[in-house]
Amino acid sequence: MLNRNVVRAALAALLLLVGLVPLANAGQSGELRTRNVVLIVSDGLRWQEIFTGADPSLLDEAHGGIWDKPQDLKREFWRDDVNERRKALFPFLWTTIAAHGQIFGNQTKGSIARVTNGFAFSYPGYNEMLTGHPDPRINSNEFGPNPNISVFEWLNGLPQLHGQVAVYASWATFKDIFNVSRSHLPLHVGWDPPYPAKSGPREQLLNELYATTTRLDDEDVYDSFMQIPLLDGIRKQKPRVLFVGYGETDNWGHAGRYDLLLHSAHSFDHFVGQLWNTMQSLPQYRGSTTFILTADHGRGSGLSEWKEHGVEQKGSENVWLAVMGPDTEPLGERSHVAEIHQAQIAATVAALLGKDYRNAVPAAAPPVADVVGRSR
Ligand SMILES: [Zn+2]
């Protein structure tokens, strides 16, 4: 028993060391240009909306629970042509990312992206994408501090990246998911005041809104409130590895408000474009930043199950993945490709930075090879 433990410990130490060595030939052309990676999640945003836009059967009060006038919602988000329709909902995704990156998960075109954790709700999904493997113990959003190390915590432990990893997310539970007391990652989450008490009038105003705005969910701040300190953090701290978690697409689904779900999905697209353009305007990020976009789970389908997700709602395991950056071939919307899994995201984040996460965490799934390295 003792011998086996010693061997195991030595092996683990060796694997950690190997993980510190950059991948010799990660990209098809060898050298990667990515110096910064941003992983962005829109909680519970379905692949159906991503690829086919607004669902016509939910643009009413009876099934979509909408308060808007249906004709107003249709003017904004309905187009007869499916490509125009999805572009009306996600203009940045379907113009910029589709032109310069890759998008997986359109099941109508033979591309499947799915979670493998068997639960299809948030904590198990974030654990799977961030650590690279599902963990059957994590079967509740109230699980508590994550025993697993995320790829962000691992990258933050590397000398070249230490202190250059940051997390901005609307959901307070990320304190547990990233195990903040162990990882010591800088987290800006939930309704915690985003700025120190002694700051300028602009910052004090946002602190006041955080304190006084009526909360739909005590654990989840509005996406627009989080976007401001996020953009400030980009300009001031300039993190090289960044996690951004938007939560409203899930909350408005649970609330049964399809109109607000569409508006928050549209805002998510705007926030991603704003983040991309802000980063491209800064020398540290220009031409050297890769974005990875995804969802932590899907949802059910039909006239009522779109509101919820989990094992009860069929199809909740289906998600989507979009990647854009200097090392990702501009193949656009992918069709008839091999199935990809949420667990592959962790190693993909590391691989884009030239690091082999699986040497440190052998249980992690391999990177999505198609998005790492260009054959130019
Ligand atoms: Zn949910």
Side-chain angles (χ1 to χ4, degrees), residues 130-131 146-158 161-162 165 167 176-185 241 357:
L130 294 169
T131 69
N146 196 339
N148 308 306
I149 289 175
S150 73
V151 70
F152 285 75
E153 183 175 351
W154 180 72
L155 289 168
N156 191 50
L158 305 183
L161 291 168
H162 187 69
V165 180
V167 174
D176 286 337
I177 296 170
F178 283 103
N179 197 333
V180 70
S181 58
R182 182 195 62 217
S183 70
H184 303 296
L185 290 172
V241 190
Y357 181 59

Coordinates of all heavy atoms in Angstrom, one line a residue, residues 130-131 146-158 161-162 165 167 176-185 241 357:
L130 N -14.6 23.5 -16.4 CA -13.4 24.2 -15.8 C -12.3 23.2 -15.3 O -11.2 23.6 -15.2 CB -13.9 25.0 -14.6 CG -14.8 26.2 -15.0 CD1 -15.4 26.8 -13.7 CD2 -14.0 27.3 -15.8
T131 N -12.7 22.0 -14.9 CA -11.7 21.0 -14.4 C -11.4 20.0 -15.5 O -10.4 19.3 -15.4 CB -12.2 20.3 -13.2 OG1 -13.3 19.4 -13.6 CG2 -12.8 21.2 -12.1
N146 N -15.4 23.4 -4.2 CA -15.1 22.4 -5.2 C -13.8 21.7 -4.8 O -12.7 22.3 -4.6 CB -14.9 23.0 -6.6 CG -14.9 22.0 -7.7 OD1 -14.7 20.9 -7.5 ND2 -15.2 22.5 -8.9
P147 N -13.8 20.3 -4.6 CA -12.5 19.6 -4.3 C -11.6 19.6 -5.5 O -10.4 19.3 -5.3 CB -13.0 18.2 -3.9 CG -14.3 18.1 -4.6 CD -15.0 19.4 -4.7
N148 N -12.1 19.8 -6.7 CA -11.3 19.7 -7.9 C -10.6 21.1 -8.2 O -11.2 22.1 -8.0 CB -12.1 19.3 -9.1 CG -12.9 18.0 -8.8 OD1 -12.4 17.0 -8.4 ND2 -14.3 18.1 -8.9
I149 N -9.4 21.0 -8.8 CA -8.7 22.2 -9.3 C -9.1 22.5 -10.7 O -9.1 21.7 -11.6 CB -7.2 21.9 -9.2 CG1 -6.8 21.9 -7.7 CG2 -6.4 23.0 -9.9 CD1 -5.4 21.5 -7.4
S150 N -9.5 23.8 -10.9 CA -9.9 24.2 -12.3 C -8.6 24.6 -13.1 O -7.6 24.8 -12.5 CB -10.8 25.4 -12.2 OG -10.0 26.6 -11.8
V151 N -8.8 24.6 -14.4 CA -7.7 24.9 -15.3 C -7.3 26.4 -15.0 O -6.1 26.7 -15.2 CB -8.1 24.7 -16.8 CG1 -9.2 25.7 -17.2 CG2 -6.9 24.8 -17.7
F152 N -8.2 27.2 -14.5 CA -7.8 28.6 -14.2 C -6.9 28.6 -12.9 O -5.9 29.3 -12.9 CB -9.1 29.4 -13.9 CG -9.8 29.8 -15.2 CD1 -10.6 28.8 -15.8 CD2 -9.7 31.1 -15.7 CE1 -11.2 29.2 -17.0 CE2 -10.4 31.4 -16.9 CZ -11.1 30.4 -17.6
E153 N -7.2 27.8 -11.9 CA -6.4 27.7 -10.8 C -5.0 27.1 -11.1 O -3.9 27.6 -10.7 CB -7.0 26.8 -9.7 CG -6.3 26.7 -8.4 CD -7.0 26.0 -7.3 OE1 -8.2 25.7 -7.5 OE2 -6.4 25.7 -6.2
W154 N -5.0 26.1 -12.0 CA -3.8 25.5 -12.5 C -2.9 26.5 -13.2 O -1.7 26.6 -13.0 CB -4.1 24.3 -13.3 CG -2.9 23.6 -13.8 CD1 -2.0 22.8 -13.1 CD2 -2.4 23.6 -15.2 NE1 -1.0 22.3 -13.9 CE2 -1.2 22.8 -15.2 CE3 -2.8 24.1 -16.4 CZ2 -0.5 22.6 -16.3 CZ3 -2.1 23.9 -17.5 CH2 -0.9 23.1 -17.5
L155 N -3.5 27.2 -14.2 CA -2.8 28.2 -14.9 C -2.2 29.3 -14.0 O -1.1 29.8 -14.2 CB -3.6 28.8 -16.0 CG -4.0 27.9 -17.2 CD1 -5.1 28.5 -18.0 CD2 -2.8 27.6 -18.0
N156 N -3.0 29.7 -13.0 CA -2.5 30.8 -12.1 C -1.3 30.3 -11.3 O -0.6 31.1 -10.7 CB -3.7 31.2 -11.2 CG -3.4 32.4 -10.4 OD1 -2.9 33.4 -10.9 ND2 -3.6 32.3 -9.1
G157 N -1.1 29.0 -11.2 CA 0.0 28.4 -10.5 C 1.3 28.4 -11.3 O 2.4 28.1 -10.8
L158 N 1.2 28.6 -12.6 CA 2.4 28.6 -13.5 C 3.1 30.0 -13.4 O 2.4 31.0 -13.4 CB 2.0 28.4 -14.9 CG 1.1 27.1 -15.2 CD1 0.9 27.0 -16.7 CD2 1.8 25.9 -14.7
L161 N 2.1 33.0 -15.6 CA 0.7 33.4 -15.6 C 0.2 33.8 -14.2 O -0.9 34.3 -14.0 CB -0.3 32.4 -16.2 CG -0.1 32.2 -17.7 CD1 -0.8 30.9 -18.2 CD2 -0.6 33.4 -18.5
H162 N 1.1 33.6 -13.2 CA 0.6 33.9 -11.9 C 0.2 35.3 -11.7 O 0.9 36.2 -12.1 CB 1.7 33.5 -10.9 CG 1.3 33.6 -9.4 ND1 0.4 32.7 -8.9 CD2 1.5 34.5 -8.5 CE1 0.1 33.1 -7.7 NE2 0.8 34.2 -7.4
V165 N -4.7 35.9 -13.8 CA -6.0 35.1 -14.0 C -7.1 35.8 -13.2 O -6.9 36.2 -12.1 CB -5.8 33.7 -13.5 CG1 -7.1 32.9 -13.8 CG2 -4.6 33.0 -14.2
V167 N -11.7 36.3 -12.6 CA -13.0 35.8 -12.8 C -14.0 36.9 -12.5 O -14.0 37.5 -11.5 CB -13.3 34.6 -11.8 CG1 -14.8 34.2 -11.9 CG2 -12.4 33.4 -12.1
D176 N -17.7 29.0 -4.7 CA -17.5 27.6 -4.4 C -16.9 26.9 -5.6 O -16.0 26.0 -5.5 CB -18.8 26.9 -4.1 CG -19.3 27.3 -2.7 OD1 -18.5 27.7 -1.8 OD2 -20.6 27.2 -2.5
I177 N -17.4 27.2 -6.8 CA -16.9 26.4 -8.0 C -15.4 26.6 -8.2 O -14.7 25.6 -8.6 CB -17.7 26.9 -9.2 CG1 -19.2 26.6 -9.1 CG2 -17.2 26.3 -10.5 CD1 -20.2 27.2 -10.1
F178 N -14.9 27.8 -8.0 CA -13.5 28.0 -8.1 C -12.8 27.9 -6.8 O -11.6 28.2 -6.7 CB -13.2 29.5 -8.6 CG -13.5 29.6 -10.1 CD1 -14.6 30.3 -10.6 CD2 -12.5 29.2 -11.0 CE1 -14.8 30.4 -12.0 CE2 -12.7 29.4 -12.4 CZ -13.9 30.0 -12.9
N179 N -13.5 27.4 -5.8 CA -12.9 27.2 -4.4 C -12.0 28.4 -4.0 O -10.8 28.2 -3.9 CB -12.2 25.9 -4.3 CG -12.0 25.4 -2.9 OD1 -11.9 26.3 -2.0 ND2 -11.8 24.2 -2.6
V180 N -12.6 29.5 -3.8 CA -11.8 30.7 -3.7 C -10.9 30.7 -2.5 O -9.8 31.3 -2.5 CB -12.7 32.0 -3.7 CG1 -13.6 32.0 -2.4 CG2 -12.0 33.3 -3.9
S181 N -11.3 30.0 -1.4 CA -10.4 30.0 -0.2 C -9.1 29.1 -0.5 O -8.1 29.4 0.2 CB -11.1 29.5 1.0 OG -11.6 28.2 0.8
R182 N -9.2 28.2 -1.4 CA -8.0 27.5 -1.8 C -7.3 28.1 -3.0 O -6.0 28.2 -3.0 CB -8.4 26.0 -2.2 CG -7.2 25.1 -2.5 CD -7.6 23.8 -3.2 NE -8.2 24.1 -4.5 CZ -9.3 23.4 -5.0 NH1 -9.7 22.4 -4.3 NH2 -9.8 23.8 -6.1
S183 N -8.0 28.5 -4.0 CA -7.4 29.0 -5.3 C -6.9 30.4 -5.1 O -5.9 30.8 -5.8 CB -8.4 28.9 -6.4 OG -9.4 29.9 -6.3
H184 N -7.5 31.2 -4.3 CA -7.1 32.6 -4.1 C -7.2 33.4 -5.4 O -6.6 34.4 -5.6 CB -5.7 32.8 -3.5 CG -5.6 32.1 -2.1 ND1 -6.4 32.5 -1.0 CD2 -4.9 31.1 -1.7 CE1 -6.0 31.7 0.0 NE2 -5.1 30.8 -0.4
L185 N -8.0 32.9 -6.3 CA -8.3 33.6 -7.6 C -9.0 34.9 -7.3 O -9.9 34.9 -6.4 CB -9.0 32.8 -8.6 CG -8.3 31.6 -9.2 CD1 -9.3 30.7 -10.0 CD2 -7.1 32.0 -10.0
V241 N -5.8 35.5 -18.5 CA -6.7 34.4 -18.5 C -7.9 34.8 -17.8 O -7.8 35.2 -16.6 CB -6.1 33.1 -17.9 CG1 -7.0 31.9 -18.1 CG2 -4.7 32.9 -18.4
Y357 N -2.7 20.7 -20.2 CA -3.4 20.5 -19.0 C -3.5 19.1 -18.6 O -3.5 18.7 -17.4 CB -4.8 21.2 -19.1 CG -5.7 21.1 -17.9 CD1 -5.3 21.6 -16.7 CD2 -6.9 20.4 -18.0 CE1 -6.1 21.6 -15.6 CE2 -7.8 20.4 -16.9 CZ -7.4 20.9 -15.7 OH -8.2 20.9 -14.6

